[in-house]
Amino acid sequence: MDLLKYQRKREFKKTPEPKGKIFKTKKYRFVVQKHHARHLHYDFRLEMEGVLKSWAVPKGPPEKPGIKRLAVQVEDHPVEYIDFEGQIPKGQYGAGTVKIWDKGTYKLISKSENRINFELFGKKLKGQYTLIRFRKPKYWLLIKKK
Ligand code: MN
């Protein structure tokens, strides 16, 4: 929204200042990978800033409104990981089976340091969600809005 404010004040045909892109209306991709590692969990990933921002969600993303699920942020993954399914060999990091559980696009509604609002357009996951960081650096809640 701040960028929209910036753009409204300027006529970009007349000023050499950069217009910038508003991500608000653009759709990015997301994926949820079911990961049978030592502990079963779901990896929730949002395509953002050229990487996949990633969270491990032990109980899986909420499908019903009002439900909150713990989401532990993990390291960014490369965007190519969005299509990954397969077997991570024994002895390797995250050893076990990875299967795509849901996939689709999302619309970023707003984003700040500790809060991300977005709308998911998946097969299983649809509607507005919020990620709220409740403890730095990596503890978030994934909430499906009512
Ligand atoms: Mn994982």
Side-chain angles (χ1 to χ4, degrees):
M1 284 312 281
D2 289 341
L3 191 55
L4 198 60
K5 223 180 217 175
Y6 166 92
Q7 289 183 345
R8 280 185 184 139
K9 289 177 182 167
R10 293 164 172 83
E11 282 184 74
F12 293 96
K13 280 178 185 167
K14 292 178 185 170
T15 173
E17 294 167 293
K19 187 178 177 192
K21 285 187 188 119
I22 291 182
F23 52 56
K24 197 171 176 260
T25 54
K26 200 186 160 190
K27 282 185 180 173
Y28 293 95
R29 297 174 298 164
F30 82 95
V31 72
V32 181
Q33 284 147 327
K34 192 173 180 178
H35 188 180
H36 280 275
R38 200 144 43 93
H39 300 282
L40 171 69
H41 62 274
Y42 295 75
D43 290 304
F44 179 72
R45 309 187 198 280
L46 295 175
E47 183 181 24
M48 196 179 273
E49 297 157 9
V51 294
L52 295 175
K53 294 286 171 191
S54 299
W55 291 262
V57 185
K59 291 186 174 175
E63 293 178 74
K64 286 181 187 162
I67 302 215
K68 299 173 186 181
R69 291 281 163 79
L70 175 69
V72 182
Q73 191 167 12
V74 298
E75 71 273 23
D76 295 346
H77 278 50
V79 286
E80 293 85 353
Y81 210 93
I82 209 157
D83 297 313
F84 180 75
E85 284 189 310
Q87 190 75 31
I88 302 170
K90 263 188 187 163
Q92 292 297 302
Y93 180 75
T97 312
V98 177
K99 270 200 163 173
I100 293 173
W101 181 80
D102 198 17
K103 197 178 177 179
T105 58
Y106 77 95
K107 194 170 83 180
L108 189 58
I109 295 165
S110 67
K111 182 175 174 278
S112 62
E113 200 194 343
N114 297 317
R115 198 182 191 102
I116 307 169
N117 290 305
F118 51 96
E119 185 171 1
L120 295 178
F121 306 91
K123 287 208 174 91
K124 294 188 176 95
L125 302 179
K126 295 169 201 288
Q128 284 197 28
Y129 283 78
T130 303
L131 271 163
I132 295 171
R133 175 150 56 185
F134 66 91
R135 197 193 303 151
K136 281 185 181 180
K138 61 178 186 179
Y139 293 99
W140 299 69
L141 287 173
L142 177 59
I143 302 162
K144 182 164 167 62
K145 285 197 178 177
K146 282 180 183 165

